[in-house]
Every structure is written in C-alpha cells, then in structure tokens.
Amino acid sequence: MLMKYNPVTDEVVNELKKIVGDKYATTDPDKLEIYKTDEEGNSIYFSYPEVVVFPASTEEVAEVVKLANKYLVPITPRSAGTGLSCGAIPVHHGIVIELERMNQILEMDAENLYCVVQPGVRTVDLQQAAKAKGLLYAGDPCSAESCQIGGNLATNAGGNKAVRYGTTRHQIYDLTVVTPLGDIVKVGARLEKCSTGYCLEQLICGSEGTLGIITEATLKLRMLPPYSFDIVAIFDDPAKALALPRKILKAGIEPTSIEYMDNRAIVISGDFIKCDLPYAKKNGVYDIITVESYDQDELDKKMEKLGDLCDEAGAVEVLMADDRIWEARKQFADACREICLTWASSDYVVPLDKIINVTTELPNIMKKHDIDGGIVAHIGDGNIHVNILNTHNQGPEEWANTLHAYDDDIFALVYSLGGKMSGEHGIGYKKKEEFEKFTPEGELKLMRLLKKAWDPNNIMNPSKVIEVE
C-alpha cells in the first residue's frame, strides 16, 4: 500500500512563512503555474504544488523538511527546472522547495583548484567565473546557460566534456545535504583519494532528490588548457562516422568531446538557427571533435593525427567547427521544442562498440511506431540522444502511450547490448515504470531498502526513480 499524504493546510503555510518569511512562501495559483512541470510538455504529467517556498539557507531548508515530516507532507526539491524526466514535478502536490535564492559562489580558490557553491548557481556562471581566473569547471551540459548546479548534482548531469573529464559526479569533493528527516550533514572531503567508509557524496549525486537536498558543494577546478581546436568531420555514411570515436581513443588523442549529429538533427537545427549548414542537403552526418592541450606542439601533432584518422575513416570533408556548428548541436533541443511542445528526449547509454547496433536499428523501431526525430550523441562515451517529435499531433494520453511502446522496444535492445536507459537525464517520474521493468530485482531491492532507511516517511521527492511501499 503506497504512502498517503496530508494536504497543506493554512497552519502549515503559516509555519512555512515563519521559517522563510512571508514573501518567500506562496500559494498564489498564478505563481504555482510555473511549478506544474519542468521541461516536460505533455500535460498528462502536469501536477501542481500546494505551496512553493524559497529558502535562503541550509538551515531554512532543514526546518522546512522537519515541518514536512511533522505534518506528513511531500517535498519536491527544484533548481532551474530544466530536467527532461519529470524529476521536478510535484506528482503528490505538497511543497516545492525552490533553491533559486541560494545562488552564490561562496569561494573560488585558484591556488588550490576548488570552489564552494550553492545549488542555485547557474552552470554557465560558474564556468565563466572559473574562466576569469584561468580555470576550468569541467561540468558542461548542453543546457549550461539555463540549468543550475543543484540540478546537475541531483541528476549527475553529463554533457559535452564528459569524455575527458567525466560527469558531474567526477567534479565533486564534498556536499552539504539536508537529509529526508531534516538533519544537516556534510559528506565527502577535499581529498584526492579516500577509502574511509561509504562514499556517500557519490551516492547522493544522481539520486534525483530522493535521498536529500544538496545545499552546498565543494567542486573541483582545473587549469584551463590554453590551446585547443574544434573540427567537424563530415560523413555520408553514419556507420563510418560512428566507427571514428574508437579509432580516436585508441590513438591516444584524448579528446575533450566527440559529438555526433545525424542528418535529420542537422536539418532541424539548421532551420532553427537559420543557417545553411555544410552538407545538410547532401545527407551528411557530423562528428564534432574538440581537443585541448597545455602544449602547442602537442596540439599540432594531435591535429595532424586526427586529420589522418578522419580521412582513413572515410570522411568526405573535414572542417574547422566554427560557432554555427556548435550552436546547431547545442540548440537541437530548442529546435525540437519549437516544432512541437510535446517533443520527447531520451538518452540511452551503451558500450562504445555497441553504438552502431543501436543507431542501425533505431530507424526501424521509429518506423514501427510511426514517429519522427533526430539523433545526436555524446559518442565518445556511448550516450545516444533521440529527440522525438509529435508530428501527428497526438493527444496527451495517446502520445504518452506511443512513447511507452517505443521505449519498450528500444530499452529491450539497449539492455540486451549491456546498456542502460539513461546516461545523464535520470529516471525521474517519467521513466520509473520502465526502470523497474528493466532493472534486476536484486538492484531494485537494495535501492528500496536504502530509500526506506533514509526516508522512513517517504516525503523526499516521492514516486521518483523507484516506488516504495
């Protein structure tokens, strides 16, 4: 039997206002409208909170969580709301804790290569603050200009630079967390290695707000490589383009990113940014490759070697990847959103040598379900994105059913190849049923035991990732 929650009463609202201030707790229907969804456009998933609070400190977050436990009211933590898996939608209504006021870079230590940030800091603002000091914050999701660090941590966001630097999880030293019971705990440490007990900061990162609310993070910085180049290798055969990453990695070039766009994605993005992209009308597909170095001679050697590899792989042309190429790649989601608000994005991840198996079969699965879309991928780490367009204007329920049927087929293929259904978007509410279907029971049992132990009242982002009884 699933948990039953209490409604948010006037008494609860008054107590919330005492914690955060009258101005920072709202039940105004017009303001609640914003929080019915994240980036999800299908109204079948929309759900309104009963109250939204805007805490200014870790202590205020903790007091709100304690109050929610006292009255048995569910909590949905939220940063910028740029997620794609319904992870920030308050499916049980209750309280949304919006972290946008906690938006300070508290410390930027260039000498010791770390920074301390609050969850409401925009990713691009952290990147730019680091760059101003000659440093690099390596977390780089495509939504960097709108997403926030708290959401990046909650979902273990990936992005373009993950090939070289890893995902958000690999940028963490320590986290300050408000637990589901309202305790304030610091996990991790500013150490280069540690084998001291459970690695809790790594567990919390990627838990999608189900195990606590991150209110502060100490993150790693790196020296900014002074030399770099970006090229786009254009192919007329997707199989040749998808074979290139393994050749690059085996050659020891150590790219920062390797991105792929199929022709449908190139055309959609080109139309959106109003740009005549190379080979868009000739069925071209792109491998976009970035290489960075601290030494100019090394960079020149890698550029020459990479050019040879592209030629050997069958590229029809190799060009410098200027701003229009990267804009096309990063604007693909917005381009799909302009075509239809109920577009859907998926992000399977498979071993590198299995990417071709997925991309070869994808057109057949899409044709089976009569859906249209384009493929982009972080092919240096096996993460494939398919943005699917509701071109037949199906209604909310019919469209959700179409996507579920498509997911059943594609996930069956992905898991048969040793892959998983998400490389960086997370499970949230939208993929929960599929996650439970395709995940071995032993894993699910451990996750449920952990969730129950940490969150006995099941108030912390309930019905996300897994359901517990």
Side-chain angles (χ1 to χ4, degrees), residues 409-428:
D409 284 347
I410 191 63
F411 291 158
L413 172 63
V414 165
Y415 276 75
S416 74
L417 298 170
K420 299 283 188 179
M421 67 178 62
S422 177
E424 57 188 14
H425 292 171
I427 304 303

Side-chain angles (χ1 to χ4, degrees), residues 113-329:
L113 298 178
Y114 73 89
C115 61
V116 182
V117 301
Q118 293 181 313
V121 173
R122 281 197 313 159
T123 307
V124 69
D125 291 337
L126 177 56
Q127 291 171 332
Q128 291 174 352
K131 187 176 182 179
K133 292 184 176 291
L135 303 174
L136 170 71
Y137 173 66
D140 190 33
C142 284
S143 57
E145 293 193 2
S146 54
C147 65
Q148 296 171 0
I149 292 298
N152 293 175
L153 292 164
T155 59
N156 184 32
N160 301 321
K161 293 185 171 70
V163 177
R164 180 169 182 177
Y165 299 114
T167 61
T168 302
R169 175 170 282 130
H170 299 98
Q171 319 310 324
I172 297 171
Y173 276 127
D174 64 53
L175 303 173
T176 298
V177 181
V178 175
T179 73
L181 293 175
D183 297 322
I184 300 172
V185 179
K186 187 172 182 176
V187 294
R190 193 165 58 83
L191 303 170
E192 297 304 322
K193 61 188 295 189
C194 181
S195 295
T196 309
Y198 300 141
C199 197
L200 296 178
E201 74 279 9
Q202 296 296 304
L203 174 62
I204 292 167
C205 179
S207 64
E208 302 186 46
T210 62
L211 299 180
I213 301 174
I214 298 165
T215 59
E216 193 174 294
T218 303
L219 303 174
K220 299 175 183 178
L221 300 173
R222 295 168 171 82
M223 295 306 299
L224 186 67
Y227 308 106
S228 67
F229 66 80
D230 296 81
I231 67 166
V232 55
I234 304 171
F235 294 84
D236 57 10
D237 180 354
K240 294 177 180 177
L242 294 165
L244 181 61
R246 295 195 303 279
K247 301 178 189 297
I248 293 172
L249 296 172
K250 287 176 68 176
I253 292 176
E254 297 180 330
T256 298
S257 66
I258 314 176
E259 297 293 301
Y260 171 79
M261 298 182 73
D262 78 348
N263 187 255
R264 185 74 174 112
I266 293 168
V267 170
I268 290 171
S269 284
D271 289 345
F272 178 70
I273 66 173
K274 297 178 173 55
C275 179
D276 186 14
L277 295 171
Y279 287 80
K281 297 177 182 178
K282 300 179 181 179
N283 293 317
V285 300
Y286 293 171
D287 281 353
I288 311 167
I289 306 150
T290 300
V291 178
E292 300 173 320
S293 178
Y294 296 96
D295 180 86
Q296 182 67 63
D297 290 340
E298 178 189 51
L299 189 77
D300 291 342
K301 291 177 182 177
K302 287 184 175 181
M303 179 181 279
E304 183 178 355
K305 183 184 291 187
L306 182 55
D308 291 341
L309 287 175
C310 292
D311 290 340
E312 293 168 8
V316 296
E317 191 165 356
V318 180
L319 305 171
M320 299 306 294
D322 53 25
D323 289 345
R324 61 184 176 153
I325 300 296
W326 274 115
E327 185 181 7
R329 170 63 185 93

